[in-house]
């Protein structure tokens, strides 16, 4: 979440930055409510401190009176005890009431702060998808006389069984079959090998996560309904199926402290991703482009604030290198504030060309969260020569989402005879250089 000190000291800048994402009047109301709760909190803390100090002074006064009575040879114990008991009851009740009220205000402040999105980077423009900026285009669009879409190709070549996928899981599910399963698995394993060679630590996390992990990543509470939740007994901690392994990698390091020498810490994970969001009816979301379960390999870095933006560029270049090595035509786009994840300061999308729709489709979002996620997750690093630990900066990127890469390969590498060429870097893993219709295979 955001730093409350920043809101206290420079509310105008915070309001201007958040207005890139939200309606300015909504931002103003939210910050006013937070400022009011913060003021109540500080006043209550002051009142509690004053009450505790008053009780200490009262106790010292009783002790001094008792000492004086003894020195004068008087027996003031009974009078002192009665007065002290009455005063103690009143003071205890007043202090308890203040502390209870402080707890309520702190909970309200925490909830209000958790609803705020991250502050966009200065170079991120306001607006939604329409304001996204294309930064660079890689390669040339393939020239295909009669374009077939990936659904047709996958069906004719026996690569994906959409009907049986729906039979098994319902709408939004599919089954990779035959050479399609080989191609899918080849992609996953190629990504895994590339990341390992690049110095990322390989993780295979649980697919079931506690709700605390969703909160730490900034996906909860806003996108709570976009994931599949488990029904748990009353009193048990909530669990959900992870929507991306970003959530798991970040969550695995909750409330930990890195040594500065261990940064950057680079990790990656392969998991299926589970999302309850409904697929759109648009033609560019057919097939495997959007569904309730898909495969993805995710890269993640924990680093210092000084290296945050530099690391973003490094990760973007690295992810683009994967797409380029596959031989695909793609482009880089800087997302506008309203189209990026609410947890991220800056997001750069890598988008592949889909000939059937004449559109580009995102296959990787590489994002820099600054310290937003680290504050929610309590992840810090030790600063040499300082008694205070600082929050790390976190970055993540799809590398890559196979459910988008798979159809891009089919469409960009389709041949006039209906076959599909396999990218050269995958041929040894797939076991063929060309996928043809089942009846034509030898």
């Amino acid at each position: 979440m955001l730093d409350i000190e920043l809101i206290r000291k420079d509310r105008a800048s915070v309001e201007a930055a958040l207005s890139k994402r939200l309606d300015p009047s909504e931002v103003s109301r939210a910050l006013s409510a937070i400022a009011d709760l913060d003021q109540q909190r500080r006043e209550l803390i002051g009142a509690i401190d004053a009450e505790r100090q008053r009780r200490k002074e009262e106790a010292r006064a009783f002790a001094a009176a008792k000492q004086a009575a003894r020195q004068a040879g008087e027996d003031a114990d009974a009078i002192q005890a009665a007065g002290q008991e009455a005063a103690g009851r009143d003071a205890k009740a007043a202090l308890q009431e203040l502390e209870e009220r402080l707890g309520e205000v702190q909970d309200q402040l925490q909830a209000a702060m958790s609803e705020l999105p991250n502050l966009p980077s200065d170079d991120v423009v306001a607006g939604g998808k329409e304001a996204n900026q294309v930064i660079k285009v890689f390669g040339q669009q393939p020239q295909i006389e009669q374009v077939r879409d990936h659904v047709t190709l996958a069906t004719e070549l026996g690569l994906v069984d959409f009907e049986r996928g729906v039979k098994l899981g319902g709408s939004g599910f599919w089954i990779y079959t035959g050479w399609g399963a080989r191609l899918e698995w080849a992609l996953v394993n190629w990504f895994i090998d590339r990341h390992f060679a690049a110095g990322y630590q390989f993780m295979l996390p649980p697919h079931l996560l506690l709700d605390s992990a969703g909160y730490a990543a900034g996906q909860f509470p806003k996108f709570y309904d976009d994931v599949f939740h488990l029904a748990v007994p009353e009193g048990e901690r909530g669990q959900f199926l992870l929507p991306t392994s970003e959530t798991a990698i970040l969550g695995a390091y909750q409330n930990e402290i890195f040594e500065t020498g261990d940064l950057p810490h680079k990790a990656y994970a392969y998991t299926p991703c589970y999302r309850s969001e409904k697929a759109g009816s648009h033609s560019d979301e057919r097939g495997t482009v959007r569904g309730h379960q898909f495969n993805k390999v995710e890269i993640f870095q924990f680093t210092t604030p000084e290296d945050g933006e530099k690391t973003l560029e490094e990760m973007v270049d690295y992810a683009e290198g994967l797409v380029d090595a596959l031989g695909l035509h793609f482009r880089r786009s800087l997302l506008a504030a309203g189209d990026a994840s609410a947890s991220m300061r800056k997001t750069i999308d890598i988008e592949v060309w889909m000939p059937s729709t004449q559109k580009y489709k995102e296959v990787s979002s590489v994002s820099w969260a600054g310290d937003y996620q680290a504050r929610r997750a309590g992840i810090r690093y030790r600063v040499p020569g300082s008694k205070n630990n600082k929050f790390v900066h976190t970055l993540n990127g799809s590398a890559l989402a196979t459910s988008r890469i798979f159809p891009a390969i089919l469409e960009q590498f389709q041949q006039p005879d209906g076959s599909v060429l396999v990218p050269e870097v995958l041929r040894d893993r797939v076991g063929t250089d060309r996928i043809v219709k089942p009846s034509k295979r030898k």
Side-chain angles (χ1 to χ4, degrees):
M1 59 180 63
L2 302 184
D3 184 356
I4 188 68
E5 282 294 327
L6 183 60
I7 297 176
R8 289 172 185 159
K9 294 177 180 178
D10 196 358
R11 176 174 164 177
S13 294
V14 173
E15 191 163 339
L18 291 180
S19 293
K20 289 182 178 182
R21 290 197 137 117
L22 305 171
D23 181 85
S25 61
E26 181 183 347
V27 173
S28 180
R29 285 193 298 271
L31 293 181
S32 294
I34 286 171
D36 181 58
L37 289 167
D38 184 44
Q39 182 64 30
Q40 290 182 50
R41 174 181 172 276
R42 287 190 285 176
E43 289 174 356
L44 285 165
I45 289 173
I48 289 170
D49 289 343
E51 179 62 22
R52 286 174 177 163
Q53 183 62 31
R54 188 190 68 76
R55 291 182 67 180
K56 287 180 182 178
E57 292 173 355
E58 192 174 75
R60 284 196 291 266
F62 276 125
K66 187 174 182 178
Q67 181 66 22
R70 284 178 177 171
Q71 290 175 349
E74 300 173 358
D75 183 7
D77 286 354
I79 297 174
Q80 178 185 333
Q84 192 170 8
E85 181 182 358
R89 281 197 305 267
D90 293 342
K92 185 175 182 181
L95 184 61
Q96 182 176 350
E97 183 179 348
L98 286 170
E99 289 175 338
E100 289 176 353
R101 177 60 184 151
L102 176 61
E104 293 171 358
V105 170
Q106 286 179 326
D107 288 345
Q108 293 170 15
L109 179 59
Q110 176 81 2
M113 288 290 292
S114 71
E115 292 282 355
L116 289 180
N118 203 347
L119 301 181
S121 178
D122 291 342
D123 59 342
V124 173
V125 301
K129 189 181 292 290
E130 75 289 344
N132 292 347
Q133 300 171 312
V134 176
I135 305 301
K136 188 176 181 181
V137 178
F138 298 80
Q140 301 295 321
Q141 295 178 7
Q143 300 303 308
I144 305 169
E145 288 188 8
Q146 294 184 333
V147 176
R148 292 181 175 180
D149 64 72
H150 65 278
V151 176
T152 300
L153 288 164
T155 302
E156 290 183 351
L157 296 173
L159 308 180
V160 181
D161 194 326
F162 295 104
E163 291 185 2
R164 289 192 175 96
V166 172
K167 183 191 296 185
L168 275 178
S171 177
F173 293 91
W174 57 85
I175 303 172
Y176 292 107
T177 56
W179 290 101
R182 290 288 296 268
L183 177 58
E184 174 74 3
W185 209 239
L187 282 166
V188 169
N189 277 281
W190 184 65
F191 297 149
I192 286 172
D193 288 349
R194 287 289 296 261
H195 304 335
F196 194 85
Y200 284 82
Q201 182 186 59
F202 191 18
M203 299 173 65
L204 287 173
H207 297 182
L208 283 176
L209 306 181
L210 295 172
D211 282 358
S212 57
Y215 175 84
Q219 291 151 358
F220 297 169
K222 186 173 183 179
F223 299 107
Y224 187 84
D225 293 333
D226 287 347
V227 302
F228 292 104
H229 295 273
L230 267 66
V232 296
E234 187 174 351
E236 295 287 330
R237 291 184 291 178
Q239 287 182 297
F240 64 101
L241 283 166
L242 84 175
T244 166
S245 49
E246 167 203 341
T247 316
I249 297 172
L250 175 77
Y253 290 90
Q254 289 176 87
N255 302 313
E256 294 192 19
I257 300 175
F258 285 100
E259 299 297 335
T260 305
D262 294 332
L263 297 176
H265 179 69
K266 304 162 78 172
Y268 74 104
Y270 157 70
T271 65
C273 301
Y274 308 92
R275 299 185 184 179
S276 63
E277 58 185 351
K278 293 182 179 179
S281 58
H282 302 292
S283 59
D284 58 343
E285 293 191 342
R286 295 178 62 228
T288 67
V289 171
R290 185 179 296 275
H292 294 309
Q293 178 184 327
F294 57 93
N295 293 317
K296 183 156 68 76
V297 184
E298 185 85 4
I299 56 175
F300 201 100
Q301 288 202 40
F302 302 86
T303 191
T304 61
E306 295 76 18
D307 289 339
E309 193 155 20
K310 178 185 73 174
T311 302
L312 175 67
E313 285 299 320
E314 170 202 313
M315 292 175 68
V316 170
D317 289 342
Y318 175 70
E320 287 175 344
L322 299 175
V323 185
D324 188 55
L326 290 169
L328 294 168
H329 166 59
F330 65 100
R331 71 184 186 185
R332 175 196 296 197
S333 294
L334 173 62
L335 299 194
D339 194 35
S341 168
S343 302
M344 300 304 158
R345 280 179 53 77
K346 184 175 181 179
T347 295
I348 294 175
D349 272 6
I350 300 168
E351 304 163 330
V352 293
W353 175 247
M354 301 295 289
S356 67
T357 59
Q358 297 287 291
K359 294 179 181 178
Y360 290 88
K361 204 67 180 176
E362 173 258 318
V363 294
S364 175
S365 283
V366 185
S367 300
W368 170 34
D371 64 4
Y372 185 89
Q373 291 180 320
R375 287 181 179 278
R376 300 171 78 99
I379 306 174
R380 298 174 172 84
Y381 71 99
R382 301 186 203 280
V383 181
S386 174
K387 295 181 180 179
N388 298 320
N389 299 321
K390 295 180 69 174
F391 289 106
V392 299
H393 276 207
T394 58
L395 303 99
N396 70 87
S398 306
L400 297 158
T402 60
S403 62
R404 302 279 178 87
I405 289 290
F406 188 100
I409 289 173
L410 297 189
E411 293 201 8
Q412 289 199 32
F413 294 157
Q414 62 181 292
Q415 301 299 302
D417 64 357
S419 65
V420 171
L421 295 180
V422 175
E424 288 188 24
V425 295
L426 301 179
R427 289 176 183 177
D428 287 346
R429 296 171 188 270
V430 176
T432 185
D433 61 352
R434 181 189 297 262
I435 299 174
V436 301
K437 292 183 180 180
S439 60
K440 294 183 180 181
R441 293 195 193 110
K442 296 181 180 178

